[in-house]
Amino acid sequence: MEGPVCSVCVSSFGARAVTIFSGFLVAGGLMLSSFAPNIYFLFFSYGIVVGLGCGLLYTATVTITCQYFDSRRGLALGLISTGSSVGLFIYAALQRLLIEFYGLDGCLLIVGALALNILACGSLMRPLQSSDFPLPEKTALENVPDRYSIYKEKEKDPEENINMLEKSYIGEETCKSTLANGDWKSESLLHKNPTTMSRTKETETYKKKVAERTYFCKQLAKRKWQLYKNYCGETVALFKNKVFSALFIAIFLFDIGGFPPSLLMEDVARSSNVKEEEFIMPLISIIGIMTAVGKLILGILADFKWINTLYLYVATLIIMSLALCAIPFAKSYVTLALLSGILGFLTGNWSIFPYVTTKTVGIEKLAHAYGILMFFAGLGNSLGPPIVGWFYDWTQTYDIAFYFSGLCVLLGGFILLLAALPSWDTCKKQLPKPAPTTFLYKVASNSSNV
């Protein structure tokens, strides 16, 4: 849900700085969670601090990968996505051992110490200096022209600000002297006193510093405002792209319908009266393994020039919707395991999603666009399980829940397909105006036949 914040940070400070900062957040949040006195403290230390760090880390990693790789971008994204899946498997086994030997507090401390390796990995993310892919700099505020301002008024330089302060100061001192002595002559006598002259110099120096700092803060605020204004303008420009608008609808519906199966497949098997002894491997493990395989294979397929990555992503959505609708008809472990493998493989389309985003908006706007899309993806993840659970409470069966999930994914894929079809553009184009008809006239001769 913190996608836009992460995209702004990556765009403003670069991937390397954001990755190092996220390493401190993740490691510090995990270590801080080991000292949590209650669940409310964990909401902050683990939910907010670690969650924000992971969001920053993911956005920065995807952005720097897309910037470094061009011809093998799909393979690179597939490898880093597969690495996260492999890390989940290793962490699941490691966590069980650490809790057994050191308890939950010791486990969080050790995992937090391991997370400090993110700092070393982030230091290797050297920004590219290529002119083709300019990266945002830290001094982005300095690149904003001075003519941008909040108010449409003439800018005053520090000297004018000093003069205004001097006038107000002199007027105030004059009024005080007049009220105290009753005449204006005492004002001139004060300036002849050496002590008064030194105080006057100190006052002028102080006024100059105040004026300079006021001017600097004013310019900084105006430039900040212009950056935020540009960010909102770029966001509106992104949504004017019909493919991007369809992409955010598709990812939102995909996360509503595609996320619950990984949580509910075991319950579906029990509701289908599948016996425990028939479970050769847990269904959730099958989904996890096939997700890692799908990320790698789909990433490799995205690099083939004859494959349209956007259509490949749409195909994964449509096939997944059919698999979701087929789950209510599965009554055996073999069928559920097969559908779990298909769903896990197609869930690996997360590896090509940054690739599709890059092709849609360009590498320069990737961080901005990807942050917005991740916000809607997180929103879908938050809404999906409660909606499916509500359907189960209402009908006491998972059939309608999975029909709903399949319909959501199918609708998202269909909308994205319509937006991506070339015929959609040709329908909107006006037909060329017909060429004007040319008429040939024969000029009659003025001479008459005799």
Side-chain angles (χ1 to χ4, degrees):
M1 300 280 294
E2 70 276 0
V5 177
C6 301
S7 66
V8 170
C9 292
V10 173
S11 300
S12 301
F13 305 105
R16 178 163 61 179
V18 171
T19 302
I20 294 175
F21 179 70
S22 66
F24 282 111
L25 286 180
V26 174
L30 289 170
M31 294 179 181
L32 195 62
S33 299
S34 64
F35 302 99
N38 50 51
I39 189 65
Y40 302 104
F41 188 84
L42 283 175
F43 286 157
F44 168 75
S45 62
Y46 197 88
I48 297 179
V49 177
V50 178
L52 181 60
C54 291
L56 289 170
L57 179 63
Y58 183 73
T59 305
T61 304
V62 169
T63 303
I64 197 68
T65 303
C66 292
Q67 290 172 349
Y68 259 85
F69 296 93
D70 188 14
S71 59
R72 299 293 181 183
R73 184 176 296 161
L75 177 60
L77 291 171
L79 287 175
I80 64 172
S81 301
T82 305
S84 63
S85 300
V86 173
L88 286 177
F89 281 109
I90 297 175
Y91 176 71
L94 180 64
Q95 182 185 30
R96 188 176 305 171
L97 292 175
L98 291 177
I99 293 177
E100 182 179 352
F101 285 101
Y102 303 102
L104 181 59
D105 297 342
C107 175
L108 290 174
L109 279 175
I110 295 174
V111 175
L114 292 175
L116 289 174
N117 289 288
I118 298 174
L119 305 179
C121 297
S123 63
L124 299 177
M125 296 182 180
R126 180 176 56 85
L128 293 176
Q129 301 297 331
S130 175
S131 59
D132 296 334
F133 307 113
L135 293 179
E137 301 175 357
K138 290 184 178 181
T139 58
L141 291 175
E142 298 178 359
N143 298 328
V144 180
D146 291 337
R147 64 177 180 272
Y148 295 128
S149 61
I150 303 176
Y151 306 103
K152 295 181 179 179
E153 63 178 6
K154 183 180 178 181
E155 295 293 332
K156 298 181 177 63
D157 55 5
E159 296 296 333
E160 295 179 359
N161 293 330
I162 295 173
N163 294 334
M164 293 178 62
L165 289 175
E166 287 179 350
K167 290 179 180 179
S168 61
Y169 181 80
I170 293 174
E172 182 179 356
E173 292 295 327
T174 304
C175 293
K176 289 181 180 179
S177 301
T178 305
L179 293 175
N181 302 324
D183 57 356
W184 294 90
K185 296 180 179 180
S186 59
E187 179 73 18
S188 59
L189 294 175
L190 289 174
H191 289 286
K192 296 180 180 180
N193 192 350
T195 306
T196 306
M197 295 179 63
S198 62
R199 290 179 180 178
T200 304
K201 292 181 180 180
E202 292 178 359
T203 304
E204 291 178 355
T205 305
Y206 174 75
K207 287 187 295 182
K208 185 175 181 180
K209 290 181 179 180
V210 170
E212 290 177 353
R213 293 179 182 179
T214 303
Y215 179 77
F216 173 77
C217 293
K218 184 178 179 181
Q219 293 298 320
L220 185 63
K222 290 179 180 179
R223 294 174 182 179
K224 276 283 188 180
W225 172 260
Q226 185 62 32
L227 286 180
Y228 297 146
K229 187 178 178 181
N230 292 341
Y231 182 84
C232 295
E234 290 176 1
T235 304
V236 174
L238 285 174
F239 280 100
K240 289 182 179 179
N241 185 342
K242 67 178 187 305
V243 179
F244 177 81
S245 299
L247 195 61
F248 97 83
I249 296 175
I251 193 63
F252 175 69
L253 295 176
F254 167 74
D255 279 274
I256 288 180
F259 185 67
S262 61
L263 302 176
L264 303 174
M265 288 302 293
E266 301 290 342
D267 293 336
V268 171
R270 295 187 186 95
S271 63
S272 300
N273 298 323
V274 178
K275 298 179 180 180
E276 294 290 339
E277 55 269 15
E278 296 181 12
F279 278 71
I280 303 174
M281 181 183 294
L283 296 177
I284 188 66
S285 299
I286 296 176
I287 293 178
I289 294 172
M290 292 306 298
T291 299
V293 175
K295 288 178 179 179
L296 182 59
I297 294 179
L298 291 175
I300 294 174
L301 291 177
D303 286 329
F304 288 102
K305 295 181 179 180
W306 51 273
I307 293 181
N308 189 310
T309 313
L310 185 58
Y311 291 158
L312 177 63
Y313 184 76
V314 171
T316 61
L317 296 181
I318 295 176
I319 299 174
M320 176 178 282
S321 65
L322 300 177
L324 288 170
C325 293
I327 288 178
F329 299 98
K331 301 300 179 181
S332 64
Y333 171 78
V334 176
T335 309
L336 289 173
L338 180 61
L339 291 174
S340 298
I342 295 174
L343 290 173
F345 181 85
L346 297 174
T347 307
N349 61 5
W350 275 106
S351 64
I352 63 175
F353 186 71
Y355 199 108
V356 174
T357 308
T358 305
K359 291 292 185 180
T360 303
V361 302
I363 191 66
E364 296 84 4
K365 300 180 181 179
L366 174 61
H368 187 180
Y370 199 72
I372 296 174
L373 294 174
M374 287 301 99
F375 171 79
F376 288 101
L379 185 61
N381 279 333
S382 302
L383 296 178
I387 293 176
V388 172
W390 178 80
F391 275 115
Y392 178 79
D393 294 337
W394 180 40
T395 62
Q396 294 301 314
T397 179
Y398 287 107
D399 294 353
I400 298 180
F402 279 98
Y403 290 148
F404 171 78
S405 298
L407 180 62
C408 286
V409 178
L410 179 63
L411 181 61
F414 184 70
I415 292 175
L416 184 58
L417 179 62
L418 284 181
L421 286 177
S423 58
W424 186 259
D425 289 332
T426 57
C427 292
K428 289 187 175 182
K429 292 180 180 179
Q430 295 181 355
L431 294 176
K433 296 182 179 180
T437 306
T438 304
F439 297 95
L440 298 177
Y441 296 93
K442 184 177 181 181
V443 181
S445 177
N446 292 328
S447 60
S448 58
N449 295 329
V450 179

